[in-house]
Amino acid sequence: MDRSKEKHSKDSALKRWYWLVVFWPLLCFVFAGIIIGQSGRTVDERISDAGFAIFPLIFFAIGMSIRHRLLKERRNATALTTATVVYEGRRKRTGGNQRYFPEFEFQANGVNYRVTSSAGSGFGLVKIGDRIDLYYTPENPRLFYVPVLHRRDNRCACLFCGIGILFPLLGLFAPKVRAFFSFLP
C-alpha cells in the first residue's frame, strides 16, 4: 500500500471516529425520548429503560477515548522498525496489582532510542529479548506505537463501545425483550 492510500485510510478512520462520537450519543438521547414517550410502559419501566439508553454512554465514551488515542498514535507513527524488548517494566500500583510498562530499544536515523510504553497492562504481553514491530514518527522517534500492545487496547475499546451500543438498543426494545422472556418461570 502506498503512502497516500495509507494516509487516506488513517484519515478516514479518524473521520469515522468523529462522526460516530457525535452521532451515537445524539441517537441515544433520541432513544430515551422515544422510550419516555411510549405508551404501554409503566413509569418505572420508562425510567429504567431510558437509563439503559443513557448510562451506557459512559462506557461508549471510555471506549471511544481509547480508540481516539490509538488512531492518533497510528496516524502519526508511520516508519516501521524492529525493536527489542529490554525491560518488561513491572511497576506496583495501589491494591497490590502490578502493571507492565515495557521498554523498547530501536534504531532510527542512525540513533539508538530507548522508549517506554505509556499504556500499561495487568499482565506482560511481551518478554525481555522479544523482537517486535514498532512504528515511530520520523520527526520524533520517541512518539511510537507497538501493534502488539495496540491489539489489546483495541479489544478493550471495542468491548466498551459494544456495551455503549448494545445496552441503549436493549433499552429501546425492552418491552419486546420482556415479552420474549415472560414465559420463563
Side-chain angles (χ1 to χ4, degrees):
M1 180 183 284
D2 67 30
R3 292 255 185 220
S4 64
K5 286 183 183 179
E6 186 176 328
K7 181 164 177 40
H8 175 71
S9 171
K10 291 175 182 177
D11 286 342
S12 66
L14 202 54
K15 287 177 186 175
R16 284 191 310 267
W17 179 89
Y18 284 123
W19 185 83
L20 188 60
V21 84
V22 170
F23 173 74
W24 186 248
L26 290 176
L27 192 59
C28 287
F29 283 108
V30 169
F31 289 168
I34 291 170
I35 290 167
I36 290 171
Q38 281 181 333
S39 60
R41 296 185 195 207
T42 66
V43 173
D44 289 341
E45 287 175 338
R46 288 180 188 188
I47 291 171
S48 65
D49 295 347
F52 254 81
I54 301 299
F55 290 124
L57 287 177
I58 295 168
F59 289 98
F60 182 76
I62 293 169
M64 289 305 279
S65 66
I66 293 170
R67 186 75 181 130
H68 186 255
R69 177 182 56 86
L70 296 175
L71 286 172
K72 277 181 32 181
E73 287 175 358
R74 227 179 105 204
R75 187 173 115 207
N76 295 330
T78 57
L80 174 65
T81 189
T82 302
T84 304
V85 180
V86 292
Y87 181 60
E88 287 179 357
R90 216 173 279 158
R91 295 182 188 162
K92 255 196 178 222
R93 301 272 306 237
T94 60
N97 294 333
Q98 290 188 4
R99 304 281 293 170
Y100 294 86
F101 296 86
E103 289 184 19
F104 307 99
E105 192 170 81
F106 64 96
Q107 189 174 47
N109 304 324
V111 178
N112 285 333
Y113 289 92
R114 186 172 178 152
V115 292
T116 303
S117 174
S118 62
S121 69
F123 51 91
L125 295 172
V126 293
K127 305 276 185 252
I128 294 175
D130 285 354
R131 296 189 50 80
I132 57 164
D133 289 338
L134 180 138
Y135 289 87
Y136 64 92
T137 306
E139 299 81 33
N140 182 3
R142 296 202 176 278
L143 300 175
F144 67 96
Y145 86 93
V146 179
V148 172
L149 301 178
H150 272 234
R151 277 187 231 122
R152 176 194 46 89
D153 289 346
N154 196 34
R155 283 191 298 264
C156 289
C158 288
L159 176 68
F160 282 122
C161 288
I163 290 170
I165 290 172
L166 180 64
F167 276 62
L169 294 174
L170 285 175
L172 184 62
F173 297 110
K176 303 286 185 213
V177 173
R178 281 189 203 96
F180 180 75
F181 287 109
S182 65
F183 67 89
L184 296 174

